[in-house]
mmCIF file of all heavy atoms in Angstrom:
data_model
loop_
_atom_site.group_PDB
_atom_site.id
_atom_site.type_symbol
_atom_site.label_atom_id
_atom_site.label_comp_id
_atom_site.label_asym_id
_atom_site.label_seq_id
_atom_site.Cartn_x
_atom_site.Cartn_y
_atom_site.Cartn_z
ATOM 1 N N HIS A 847 -14.740 -12.914 -9.187
ATOM 2 C CA HIS A 847 -13.795 -12.937 -7.943
ATOM 3 C C HIS A 847 -14.548 -13.695 -6.767
ATOM 4 O O HIS A 847 -15.428 -13.128 -6.113
ATOM 5 C CB HIS A 847 -13.498 -11.489 -7.596
ATOM 6 C CG HIS A 847 -12.350 -11.375 -6.584
ATOM 7 N ND1 HIS A 847 -11.067 -10.916 -6.923
ATOM 8 C CD2 HIS A 847 -12.280 -11.800 -5.315
ATOM 9 C CE1 HIS A 847 -10.299 -10.960 -5.997
ATOM 10 N NE2 HIS A 847 -10.994 -11.463 -4.860
ATOM 11 N N THR A 848 -14.264 -14.980 -6.709
ATOM 12 C CA THR A 848 -14.897 -15.728 -5.586
ATOM 13 C C THR A 848 -14.055 -16.735 -4.974
ATOM 14 O O THR A 848 -13.371 -17.505 -5.763
ATOM 15 C CB THR A 848 -16.214 -16.366 -5.947
ATOM 16 O OG1 THR A 848 -16.850 -17.060 -4.933
ATOM 17 C CG2 THR A 848 -16.068 -17.239 -7.205
ATOM 18 N N HIS A 849 -13.888 -16.727 -3.662
ATOM 19 C CA HIS A 849 -13.058 -17.662 -2.920
ATOM 20 C C HIS A 849 -13.836 -18.870 -2.467
ATOM 21 O O HIS A 849 -13.941 -19.178 -1.291
ATOM 22 C CB HIS A 849 -12.430 -16.951 -1.750
ATOM 23 C CG HIS A 849 -11.650 -15.704 -2.104
ATOM 24 N ND1 HIS A 849 -10.265 -15.860 -2.281
ATOM 25 C CD2 HIS A 849 -11.925 -14.499 -2.100
ATOM 26 C CE1 HIS A 849 -9.771 -14.631 -2.564
ATOM 27 N NE2 HIS A 849 -10.778 -13.700 -2.363
ATOM 28 N N TYR A 851 -13.111 -21.875 -2.486
ATOM 29 C CA TYR A 851 -12.337 -22.789 -1.801
ATOM 30 C C TYR A 851 -12.134 -22.569 -0.373
ATOM 31 O O TYR A 851 -11.554 -23.371 0.438
ATOM 32 C CB TYR A 851 -10.954 -22.989 -2.467
ATOM 33 C CG TYR A 851 -10.171 -21.653 -2.538
ATOM 34 C CD1 TYR A 851 -9.370 -21.224 -1.476
ATOM 35 C CD2 TYR A 851 -10.322 -20.690 -3.608
ATOM 36 C CE1 TYR A 851 -8.717 -19.967 -1.581
ATOM 37 C CE2 TYR A 851 -9.766 -19.540 -3.647
ATOM 38 C CZ TYR A 851 -8.910 -19.148 -2.537
ATOM 39 O OH TYR A 851 -8.304 -17.993 -2.624
ATOM 40 N N PRO A 877 -9.624 -16.254 -7.368
ATOM 41 C CA PRO A 877 -8.285 -15.678 -7.113
ATOM 42 C C PRO A 877 -7.580 -16.392 -5.984
ATOM 43 O O PRO A 877 -8.126 -17.082 -5.057
ATOM 44 C CB PRO A 877 -8.602 -14.262 -6.534
ATOM 45 C CG PRO A 877 -9.939 -14.377 -5.989
ATOM 46 C CD PRO A 877 -10.651 -15.502 -6.746
ATOM 47 N N ALA A 878 -6.168 -16.393 -6.114
ATOM 48 C CA ALA A 878 -5.402 -17.110 -5.119
ATOM 49 C C ALA A 878 -5.102 -16.235 -3.880
ATOM 50 O O ALA A 878 -5.465 -14.910 -3.992
ATOM 51 C CB ALA A 878 -4.051 -17.507 -5.649
ATOM 52 N N ILE A 879 -4.589 -16.682 -2.825
ATOM 53 C CA ILE A 879 -4.208 -15.920 -1.579
ATOM 54 C C ILE A 879 -2.731 -16.149 -1.255
ATOM 55 O O ILE A 879 -1.971 -15.244 -1.264
ATOM 56 C CB ILE A 879 -5.094 -16.240 -0.330
ATOM 57 C CG1 ILE A 879 -6.570 -15.809 -0.638
ATOM 58 C CG2 ILE A 879 -4.606 -15.557 0.860
ATOM 59 C CD1 ILE A 879 -7.528 -16.084 0.370
ATOM 60 N N HIS A 905 -1.516 -12.649 -2.433
ATOM 61 C CA HIS A 905 -2.412 -11.584 -1.859
ATOM 62 C C HIS A 905 -1.594 -10.540 -1.003
ATOM 63 O O HIS A 905 -0.802 -11.071 -0.195
ATOM 64 C CB HIS A 905 -3.507 -12.198 -0.941
ATOM 65 C CG HIS A 905 -4.572 -11.352 -0.707
ATOM 66 N ND1 HIS A 905 -4.460 -10.364 0.235
ATOM 67 C CD2 HIS A 905 -5.971 -11.323 -0.887
ATOM 68 C CE1 HIS A 905 -5.654 -9.656 0.466
ATOM 69 N NE2 HIS A 905 -6.564 -10.393 -0.267
ATOM 70 N N GLY A 933 -3.507 -13.104 -9.671
ATOM 71 C CA GLY A 933 -4.254 -12.405 -8.664
ATOM 72 C C GLY A 933 -4.582 -13.244 -7.495
ATOM 73 O O GLY A 933 -4.485 -14.514 -7.573
ATOM 74 N N GLU A 934 -5.028 -12.738 -6.292
ATOM 75 C CA GLU A 934 -5.056 -11.284 -6.334
ATOM 76 C C GLU A 934 -3.850 -10.649 -5.831
ATOM 77 O O GLU A 934 -3.163 -11.210 -4.968
ATOM 78 C CB GLU A 934 -6.376 -10.808 -5.539
ATOM 79 C CG GLU A 934 -6.412 -11.463 -4.109
ATOM 80 C CD GLU A 934 -7.719 -11.049 -3.453
ATOM 81 O OE1 GLU A 934 -8.071 -9.788 -3.174
ATOM 82 O OE2 GLU A 934 -8.584 -11.933 -3.250
ATOM 83 N N ILE A 969 -6.568 -6.918 -9.211
ATOM 84 C CA ILE A 969 -5.958 -5.984 -8.258
ATOM 85 C C ILE A 969 -6.725 -5.915 -6.942
ATOM 86 O O ILE A 969 -7.956 -5.639 -6.985
ATOM 87 C CB ILE A 969 -5.736 -4.528 -8.813
ATOM 88 C CG1 ILE A 969 -4.927 -4.601 -10.079
ATOM 89 C CG2 ILE A 969 -5.187 -3.557 -7.790
ATOM 90 C CD1 ILE A 969 -4.760 -3.258 -10.720
ATOM 91 N N HIS A 970 -6.054 -6.051 -5.863
ATOM 92 C CA HIS A 970 -6.680 -5.772 -4.586
ATOM 93 C C HIS A 970 -6.050 -4.458 -3.981
ATOM 94 O O HIS A 970 -4.804 -4.346 -3.897
ATOM 95 C CB HIS A 970 -6.292 -6.917 -3.611
ATOM 96 C CG HIS A 970 -6.722 -6.691 -2.071
ATOM 97 N ND1 HIS A 970 -7.690 -7.363 -1.486
ATOM 98 C CD2 HIS A 970 -6.154 -5.934 -1.228
ATOM 99 C CE1 HIS A 970 -7.915 -6.914 -0.238
ATOM 100 N NE2 HIS A 970 -6.908 -6.035 0.002
ATOM 101 N N HIS A 995 -10.376 -5.184 -8.633
ATOM 102 C CA HIS A 995 -11.294 -5.918 -7.847
ATOM 103 C C HIS A 995 -11.848 -5.049 -6.766
ATOM 104 O O HIS A 995 -11.242 -4.253 -6.148
ATOM 105 C CB HIS A 995 -10.595 -7.263 -7.394
ATOM 106 C CG HIS A 995 -10.914 -7.636 -6.025
ATOM 107 N ND1 HIS A 995 -12.241 -8.162 -5.753
ATOM 108 C CD2 HIS A 995 -10.142 -7.759 -4.953
ATOM 109 C CE1 HIS A 995 -12.121 -8.391 -4.403
ATOM 110 N NE2 HIS A 995 -10.950 -8.195 -3.875
ATOM 111 N N CYS A 996 -13.170 -5.278 -6.403
ATOM 112 C CA CYS A 996 -13.867 -4.662 -5.329
ATOM 113 C C CYS A 996 -13.626 -3.085 -5.476
ATOM 114 O O CYS A 996 -13.249 -2.466 -4.440
ATOM 115 C CB CYS A 996 -13.462 -5.121 -3.969
ATOM 116 S SG CYS A 996 -14.363 -4.553 -2.649
ATOM 117 N N GLU A 1042 -18.821 -9.368 -9.224
ATOM 118 C CA GLU A 1042 -18.039 -10.280 -8.415
ATOM 119 C C GLU A 1042 -18.712 -10.332 -7.052
ATOM 120 O O GLU A 1042 -19.501 -9.461 -6.722
ATOM 121 C CB GLU A 1042 -16.624 -9.813 -8.207
ATOM 122 C CG GLU A 1042 -16.640 -8.402 -7.613
ATOM 123 C CD GLU A 1042 -15.141 -7.937 -7.162
ATOM 124 O OE1 GLU A 1042 -14.277 -7.999 -8.030
ATOM 125 O OE2 GLU A 1042 -14.945 -7.622 -5.906
ATOM 126 N N THR A 1043 -18.367 -11.388 -6.312
ATOM 127 C CA THR A 1043 -18.907 -11.392 -4.910
ATOM 128 C C THR A 1043 -17.777 -11.192 -3.936
ATOM 129 O O THR A 1043 -17.996 -10.490 -2.802
ATOM 130 C CB THR A 1043 -19.515 -12.690 -4.541
ATOM 131 O OG1 THR A 1043 -18.551 -13.755 -4.842
ATOM 132 C CG2 THR A 1043 -20.933 -12.943 -5.231
ATOM 133 N N ASP A 1044 -16.509 -11.704 -4.191
ATOM 134 C CA ASP A 1044 -15.557 -11.771 -3.140
ATOM 135 C C ASP A 1044 -15.973 -12.630 -2.048
ATOM 136 O O ASP A 1044 -15.507 -12.466 -0.914
ATOM 137 C CB ASP A 1044 -15.116 -10.404 -2.647
ATOM 138 C CG ASP A 1044 -13.714 -10.361 -1.998
ATOM 139 O OD1 ASP A 1044 -12.918 -11.311 -2.293
ATOM 140 O OD2 ASP A 1044 -13.376 -9.430 -1.279
ATOM 141 N N ALA A 1045 -16.873 -13.481 -2.329
ATOM 142 C CA ALA A 1045 -17.319 -14.536 -1.225
ATOM 143 C C ALA A 1045 -16.101 -15.225 -0.705
ATOM 144 O O ALA A 1045 -15.185 -15.521 -1.428
ATOM 145 C CB ALA A 1045 -18.325 -15.537 -1.895
ATOM 146 N N PRO A 1046 -16.055 -15.448 0.579
ATOM 147 C CA PRO A 1046 -17.288 -15.298 1.627
ATOM 148 C C PRO A 1046 -17.355 -13.877 2.170
ATOM 149 O O PRO A 1046 -18.021 -13.703 3.229
ATOM 150 C CB PRO A 1046 -16.787 -16.266 2.672
ATOM 151 C CG PRO A 1046 -15.315 -16.245 2.650
ATOM 152 C CD PRO A 1046 -14.899 -16.027 1.288
ATOM 153 N N TYR A 1047 -16.562 -12.890 1.654
ATOM 154 C CA TYR A 1047 -16.486 -11.636 2.257
ATOM 155 C C TYR A 1047 -17.729 -10.622 1.556
ATOM 156 O O TYR A 1047 -18.057 -10.949 0.452
ATOM 157 C CB TYR A 1047 -15.220 -10.921 2.111
ATOM 158 C CG TYR A 1047 -14.138 -11.863 2.609
ATOM 159 C CD1 TYR A 1047 -13.269 -12.486 1.647
ATOM 160 C CD2 TYR A 1047 -14.043 -12.293 3.947
ATOM 161 C CE1 TYR A 1047 -12.331 -13.392 2.072
ATOM 162 C CE2 TYR A 1047 -13.029 -13.107 4.450
ATOM 163 C CZ TYR A 1047 -12.269 -13.744 3.391
ATOM 164 O OH TYR A 1047 -11.269 -14.677 3.858
ATOM 165 N N LEU A 1048 -17.985 -9.470 2.248
ATOM 166 C CA LEU A 1048 -18.730 -8.446 1.580
ATOM 167 C C LEU A 1048 -20.071 -8.755 0.936
ATOM 168 O O LEU A 1048 -20.356 -8.417 -0.199
ATOM 169 C CB LEU A 1048 -17.826 -7.831 0.419
ATOM 170 C CG LEU A 1048 -16.705 -7.030 0.975
ATOM 171 C CD1 LEU A 1048 -15.740 -6.585 -0.161
ATOM 172 C CD2 LEU A 1048 -17.151 -5.700 1.648
HETATM 173 ZN ZN1 ZN B 584 -10.497 -11.613 -2.765
#
Side-chain angles (χ1 to χ4, degrees):
H847 193 112
T848 175
H849 300 270
Y851 56 89
I879 293 179
H905 191 294
E934 50 188 295
I969 299 176
H970 171 109
H995 140 67
C996 188
E1042 62 171 54
T1043 54
D1044 202 15
Y1047 312 106
L1048 287 170

